Amino acid sequence: MALALNRFKTYTATLTTSSATIYTAPTGYTGIILYAHITNYASAATTLTMSHVRSSTTTEIIKGANVPINDAFVPMEGKLVLETNDSIQISAGANSTLKCILSILETAT
């Protein structure tokens, strides 16, 4: 069966202090993060760390960024290309205070 040439996807998650994989580029596709948005819906400021993971190499996109009370943070300017099996991991400075949304274009390789 042929792969779809382009697929637009949206991923959401409530973040915790444990680093969680929010997205992994599937086999046969390259993922392009078009937009990333983190919202703090808690009553206190907290931090976030967002990383790109390829095999055993983890590279922080942003580490310990402050997200003010009832505000939002955009952790990336521009786009980020993820090859097959690359992933994005995000963690928060406090449990259940941040929510994230990723908008991704997957294109067949």
Side-chain angles (χ1 to χ4, degrees), residues 25-97:
T27 301
Y29 287 92
T30 296
I32 303 167
I33 298 178
L34 303 173
Y35 184 71
H37 187 96
I38 311 292
T39 301
N40 183 348
Y41 61 95
S43 59
T46 190
T47 60
L48 82 103
T49 297
M50 181 176 183
S51 302
H52 170 270
V53 179
R54 176 176 292 151
S55 299
S56 61
T57 303
T58 300
T59 305
E60 288 82 7
I61 296 166
I62 190 141
K63 184 173 183 178
N66 188 49
V67 185
I69 301 168
N70 296 319
D71 206 346
F73 184 78
V74 177
M76 295 175 28
E77 288 188 29
K79 295 161 183 57
L80 179 66
V81 176
L82 303 174
E83 298 174 7
T84 295
N85 296 322
D86 285 1
S87 62
I88 291 294
Q89 293 182 346
I90 308 176
S91 64
N95 285 323
S96 301
T97 57

